[in-house]
Amino acid sequence: MTLTSGRRPYNFSAGPAAMPEAVLQRAAQDMLDWQGCGMGVMEMSHRGKEFGAILARTESDLRRLLAIPEQFHILFMQGGGLGENAIVPLNLSRGGAVDFVVSGSWSQKSFKEAQRYCKPHLAASNAADGHTRLPEPAAWQLSADASYVHLCSNETIHGVEFQQLPDLAALGSRAPLVIDFSSHVASRPVDWSRVGLAFGGAQKNLGPAGLTLVVVRDDLLGHALEICPSAFNYKTVADNASMYNTPPTWSIYVAGLTFAWLLEQTEGDLHGLAAMEARNIAKAKLLYGFIDGSSFYSNKVAPACRSRMNVPFFLADESRNEAFLAGARDAGLLQLKGHKSVGGMRASIYNAMPLAGVQALVDYMREFERSFA
Amino acid sequence: MTLTSGRRPYNFSAGPAAMPEAVLQRAAQDMLDWQGCGMGVMEMSHRGKEFGAILARTESDLRRLLAIPEQFHILFMQGGGLGENAIVPLNLSRGGAVDFVVSGSWSQKSFKEAQRYCKPHLAASNAADGHTRLPEPAAWQLSADASYVHLCSNETIHGVEFQQLPDLAALGSRAPLVIDFSSHVASRPVDWSRVGLAFGGAQKNLGPAGLTLVVVRDDLLGHALEICPSAFNYKTVADNASMYNTPPTWSIYVAGLTFAWLLEQTEGDLHGLAAMEARNIAKAKLLYGFIDGSSFYSNKVAPACRSRMNVPFFLADESRNEAFLAGARDAGLLQLKGHKSVGGMRASIYNAMPLAGVQALVDYMREFERSFA
C-alpha cells in the first residue's frame, strides 16, 4: 500500500508497532548477506564473531542511548512483559513482600501473577479513578520489608505515564524500584538513580516482538528462587552475556539498527534521546491540544498523567466509530482502534512516528469532525 | 560474500543455521509492505487480521507438513530448548517421577534442569560410550509411575539420532513420550502415535531464533504446577491460540515461509516432507560414506545411530584443524568448527542445505586430504 502522496501509511499500532523506514530498508538489504560475510543475520551462529560484533554494538549503543550506568547489566531475553511478570518475582522477591503500584491493566497483571511467587501488597491503585490519574506517591502504602516496589511507568492501554519516577527513599522505602517500561523505553531519559530493574518487551519502541530487554543493577543478581528456570535466571543470563540460551538474534539485530538510528536523530541542537524526547513532547502536545480543543473528541486522562506514547481518545458520538476508522484507513492512518477493555480509539505515537504522522492524524480528525458540522 | 562461482557460500552452522534462499528473498521483499497492507510484518499488531492470517496459515501448513493429528495443539512460544527444559516439567511432571534417557549434551541438560520441579530418574545413558551410540530401549529402566519419559531425538552436539521413536507401551511404560526434536524437526516424519509432546527451538530447521515450537497432545494440558508462569503454561497458551503473550511475530512469519517452501519441495515422485527426507538421506549417505572411506577423516558414532542432520568428524591429525577451517572458508564452506565439548569439525546439513552443498564439502575434504598425500 502506497498512498497517492507516495508515502507509506502511518501506523498507530500499540505494538508490535511502526518501525523507522530506514531500519526496515537496512534489514531488507542485509537479508542474504550481512557485511559481506556470506550469511544473513538469521543464519549466523550466535557464538560466531559476526553475531558477537552485532550483540556488542547493540549493547553499547543502548548503554549510550539510555545512559545506563556501569553497575547495570543489559540482558536480552525472551518471554515479553507477561513473561517478566513471573520472572521478576522469581528473581527478586525472595518469596517475601513486594509492593505494587497499580495504575492500569499492565501493573494489575503484574500484581496478579506475582502471587505465585511472593506476597504482593497493593501499595496504591488508581482503579477507583478508572486508571485515568496516577496515585500520588505521598499516599502510597509502602511496606517496611518489601523486596522491591513494582510499577508500570507507562500504561499502554490506559495511556497514563509517570512523568517522573518516584524517589522511594524519600517515601521511606529502602526497596529497589522495578519498572515495566515496555511502551515508553527510549522515548525519554530514565533516572537510573531511582531504578533497580527495568524491563520491557521490544515490540513497541525498540524492535520486533520476541525480544525482552532487562536492565538490572548488579546487587539484584543472585537472589533467584530455586524454582526459577535457568534460562530466566538473571544471574545466569548475565554471567553468559545473554548467551546461556540461543538469544533471539534477529530481534537483537533489528533493535540494534533502531538504537543506531535513534543515536543519529537530531532536533535543533539536540541529539539522540534528547532529540527524541523533544519530538515526542511536540507530537503529544499537538494531539492532546487538538483533542482538548474539540468537543467532538475527548481524552479522559488527567493532563499531568497523560502518556506521550499512547493516546486513547473517544468520539462524543460513539456510533461514528466505524466510520472514523474506515475513513482513517482510506487516509493511510492505520490501527487506530482502541483496546477492547477501554474502547474508542487509541493512537500510539512511538519514536518511529514522525510529527508529520501526528499532523496527518489531526488533519483527518478535524476533517472528519467538519463532515458532521 | 559471493564466490567467483556466483553462488552464496554454504553455511554448515549448527544453529541458528542456513535458511532457504527463496525464504530470505521473500522476507526481504515484504519487509516494508506485506501484501499491500501498508505495514511490514514486524510492524503489525499481533491481534490484527493481517497477522491473524499469517499465523493461521503457518499453523495449518505445519500441521500438513508434519501430519500432526487433530488432538495435538501447535503452540508458538519463546525461550528455546533450554527454556523448555524447565517449562516441560512445570507443565507435565506434576512434581512426580520423570524418566530421562540421556544420549548427549541436550538430554543431559534437560535431566539436570528438571530437578528443580520433579523427581527425574535416569532411565538410560550412553555417557559411558561417549555419547556415540544410543542406549538400547530394551535395557531402559523405566519407572512404574513416571509422568512422562524424556528423550532428545537428535543430539545436535554429538550427532546421534533416534531413527525410530521407542514404543513405550511395548517397553512396559504407560507414560507419554516427550521428545526434544529441535535439531531434526521437519527433516523426517514423526510417528505421533508414540509421542505426547514434542518441542524444538526454531533456529535449526524451521526459522529464526526466538521461536519455540511445542506440539502437545490434548490430554497433557491443564496439569501445570501452580508455580508455572502463565506465559509458559501450555493450557494458557493453547486457550489463547499462542496469543496470551505477544508472540514472536517475525519468527513465526519466517517459519511460515519455510513451511510453505518445504511443502513445495519435490524429489522424483516425492513431495514435501517425504522429498526432504529422501534428500536428507542422500546428503547423509554422501558425507558419511566419504568419511568412512577415508583414513584421513573419521566419525565416531555407531552407524545405526548417526544423525542425518549433524555430522561431527575429526581429522586424524588434529594439528591440521586450523588449516582445514581456513581452506574451507576460502572455498565458501562456512561454520564447520566442531562444538567445543567435542572438538574437531561438525557439518550441520539441515533442510536448507542442498545436496550440492554436501558435495562441495566432500570435494573440498578430498582435495584437502590430497594436499597432504
Side-chain angles (χ1 to χ4, degrees):
Chain A
M1 180 174 176
T2 306
L3 301 174
T4 49
S5 62
R7 70 164 169 86
R8 293 181 82 212
Y10 293 117
N11 173 3
F12 295 90
S13 175
M19 295 175 52
E21 197 168 326
V23 167
L24 294 172
Q25 279 166 346
R26 175 68 183 276
Q29 281 162 17
D30 291 352
M31 185 66 77
L32 278 83
D33 189 4
W34 181 79
Q35 298 200 355
C37 76
M39 302 175 282
V41 174
M42 290 192 284
E43 304 179 295
M44 292 173 183
S45 167
H46 54 300
R47 304 211 182 271
K49 70 180 193 307
E50 294 86 0
F51 185 73
I54 290 172
L55 183 68
R57 173 71 187 270
T58 299
E59 184 178 327
S60 69
D61 276 0
L62 178 64
R63 196 175 284 280
R64 188 149 69 94
L65 181 72
L66 296 187
I68 299 172
E70 262 184 38
Q71 70 270 32
F72 284 80
H73 295 265
I74 294 173
L75 309 181
F76 296 110
M77 298 182 63
Q78 299 180 55
L82 290 182
E84 288 300 319
N85 284 347
I87 296 168
V88 173
L90 278 164
N91 278 277
L92 263 53
S93 75
R94 310 185 194 200
V98 175
D99 286 332
F100 280 81
V101 176
V102 167
S103 55
S105 294
W106 290 101
S107 43
Q108 179 63 41
K109 286 184 194 198
S110 302
F111 175 61
K112 191 174 167 211
E113 180 79 0
Q115 292 170 15
R116 300 186 192 283
Y117 312 105
C118 61
K119 301 178 187 69
H121 164 245
L122 189 62
S125 168
N126 64 354
D129 296 317
H131 305 303
T132 58
R133 65 178 61 243
L134 291 167
E136 273 298 327
W140 296 358
Q141 304 289 316
L142 298 171
S143 311
D145 58 346
S147 299
Y148 63 92
V149 177
H150 176 110
L151 62 83
C152 176
S153 46
N154 184 67
E155 288 278 359
T156 324
I157 291 176
H158 292 94
V160 297
E161 180 174 14
F162 282 84
Q163 304 302 324
Q164 199 172 358
L165 293 175
D167 179 351
L168 292 185
L171 297 172
S173 170
R174 286 171 308 176
L177 179 66
V178 170
I179 63 171
D180 170 358
F181 66 169
S182 295
S183 55
H184 72 162
V185 53
S187 73
R188 60 191 303 154
V190 176
D191 182 350
W192 293 106
S193 73
R194 296 187 171 183
V195 172
L197 182 147
F199 70 85
Q203 68 270 17
K204 296 164 191 301
N205 233 347
L206 299 182
L211 170 65
T212 313
L213 172 66
V214 175
V215 183
V216 55
R217 213 173 55 204
D218 246 341
D219 59 295
L220 299 178
L221 298 179
H223 308 296
L225 300 177
E226 179 56 30
I227 55 168
C228 181
S230 302
F232 303 119
N233 182 313
Y234 294 142
K235 180 156 183 7
T236 305
V237 178
D239 287 349
N240 288 278
S242 299
M243 293 277 213
Y244 173 74
N245 218 342
T246 307
T249 51
W250 171 264
S251 298
I252 290 171
Y253 159 70
V254 176
L257 294 181
T258 306
F259 301 156
W261 179 84
L262 288 167
L263 285 169
E264 282 167 9
Q265 299 304 299
T266 58
E267 202 65 54
D269 290 343
L270 302 172
H271 297 267
L273 196 64
M276 290 316 304
E277 183 178 33
R279 209 179 283 174
N280 288 326
I281 290 171
K283 284 151 54 183
K285 191 176 167 192
L286 173 60
L287 184 50
Y288 285 115
F290 173 75
I291 291 170
D292 288 345
S294 152
S295 56
F296 195 87
Y297 303 101
S298 68
N299 168 280
K300 298 175 181 174
V301 178
C305 307
R306 284 173 170 174
S307 169
R308 293 176 185 162
M309 297 285 101
N310 308 99
V311 184
F313 63 92
F314 300 86
L315 275 63
D317 179 353
E318 295 220 288
S319 72
R320 292 168 178 159
N321 282 358
E322 283 311 311
F324 179 88
L325 288 167
R329 276 191 298 272
D330 290 345
L333 305 167
L334 307 181
Q335 308 212 57
L336 280 162
K337 190 171 181 177
H339 190 272
K340 61 184 176 200
S341 68
V342 171
M345 308 297 153
R346 176 174 49 172
S348 293
I349 50 176
Y350 298 122
N351 282 339
M353 177 63 64
L355 183 62
V358 178
Q359 186 63 59
L361 173 60
V362 165
D363 292 346
Y364 166 72
M365 289 169 74
R366 185 181 288 117
E367 203 50 52
F368 186 79
E369 178 176 353
R370 267 192 203 139
S371 71
F372 292 97
Chain B
M1 179 173 177
T2 308
L3 300 175
T4 49
S5 61
R7 69 164 171 85
R8 291 181 83 214
Y10 293 116
N11 173 4
F12 295 90
S13 175
M19 294 175 53
E21 196 166 328
V23 167
L24 294 172
Q25 278 165 346
R26 176 67 182 277
Q29 279 161 18
D30 290 353
M31 185 66 77
L32 277 83
D33 188 5
W34 181 80
Q35 299 200 353
C37 76
M39 301 175 284
V41 174
M42 290 193 284
E43 304 179 295
M44 293 174 182
S45 168
H46 55 299
R47 305 214 180 268
K49 69 179 194 307
E50 294 85 0
F51 185 73
I54 290 172
L55 183 67
R57 172 71 188 270
T58 299
E59 185 178 327
S60 69
D61 277 359
L62 178 64
R63 196 175 284 280
R64 188 149 69 94
L65 181 72
L66 296 188
I68 299 172
E70 263 184 35
Q71 69 270 32
F72 284 81
H73 295 267
I74 294 173
L75 310 181
F76 297 109
M77 298 183 63
Q78 299 179 52
L82 291 181
E84 288 301 319
N85 284 347
I87 295 168
V88 173
L90 278 164
N91 277 277
L92 263 53
S93 75
R94 309 185 197 199
V98 175
D99 285 333
F100 281 80
V101 176
V102 167
S103 55
S105 294
W106 290 100
S107 44
Q108 178 63 41
K109 286 183 192 197
S110 302
F111 175 62
K112 189 173 169 211
E113 180 78 359
Q115 292 172 13
R116 301 185 191 284
Y117 312 106
C118 62
K119 299 177 188 70
H121 164 245
L122 189 64
S125 169
N126 65 354
D129 296 316
H131 306 301
T132 58
R133 64 179 63 241
L134 291 166
E136 273 299 325
W140 297 357
Q141 304 290 316
L142 298 171
S143 312
D145 58 346
S147 299
Y148 63 92
V149 178
H150 176 111
L151 62 81
C152 176
S153 46
N154 184 67
E155 289 278 359
T156 325
I157 291 175
H158 292 94
V160 297
E161 180 173 14
F162 282 84
Q163 303 302 323
Q164 198 172 0
L165 293 175
D167 179 352
L168 292 186
L171 297 173
S173 170
R174 289 171 306 176
L177 179 65
V178 169
I179 63 170
D180 171 358
F181 67 169
S182 296
S183 55
H184 73 161
V185 53
S187 73
R188 61 191 302 155
V190 176
D191 182 351
W192 293 106
S193 74
R194 296 187 171 184
V195 172
L197 183 145
F199 71 84
Q203 69 271 16
K204 295 164 191 304
N205 233 347
L206 300 182
L211 170 64
T212 313
L213 172 67
V214 175
V215 183
V216 55
R217 211 173 57 204
D218 247 342
D219 60 293
L220 299 178
L221 299 179
H223 308 296
L225 300 177
E226 178 56 31
I227 54 167
C228 181
S230 301
F232 304 118
N233 182 312
Y234 295 141
K235 180 156 182 8
T236 304
V237 177
D239 287 348
N240 289 278
S242 299
M243 293 278 212
Y244 172 75
N245 218 344
T246 307
T249 52
W250 171 264
S251 298
I252 290 171
Y253 159 71
V254 175
L257 295 180
T258 306
F259 301 156
W261 179 84
L262 288 167
L263 286 168
E264 283 166 10
Q265 299 306 299
T266 58
E267 201 68 51
D269 292 341
L270 303 171
H271 298 266
L273 197 64
M276 289 316 306
E277 184 178 33
R279 208 178 286 173
N280 288 326
I281 290 171
K283 284 150 55 183
K285 191 176 166 192
L286 173 61
L287 184 50
Y288 285 114
F290 173 75
I291 291 169
D292 288 345
S294 152
S295 57
F296 196 87
Y297 303 100
S298 68
N299 168 279
K300 299 175 181 174
V301 178
C305 308
R306 284 175 171 174
S307 169
R308 293 176 186 162
M309 297 284 101
N310 308 99
V311 184
F313 63 91
F314 299 85
L315 277 63
D317 179 352
E318 295 220 283
S319 71
R320 290 167 180 161
N321 282 359
E322 284 310 312
F324 179 89
L325 288 167
R329 276 191 299 272
D330 290 345
L333 305 167
L334 306 181
Q335 308 212 57
L336 281 162
K337 191 171 181 177
H339 189 273
K340 61 185 177 203
S341 68
V342 172
M345 308 296 152
R346 177 174 50 171
S348 292
I349 51 177
Y350 298 123
N351 282 339
M353 177 62 63
L355 183 62
V358 179
Q359 187 62 59
L361 173 60
V362 165
D363 292 346
Y364 167 72
M365 289 169 73
R366 185 181 290 117
E367 203 49 50
F368 186 79
E369 178 176 354
R370 265 191 207 142
S371 71
F372 291 96

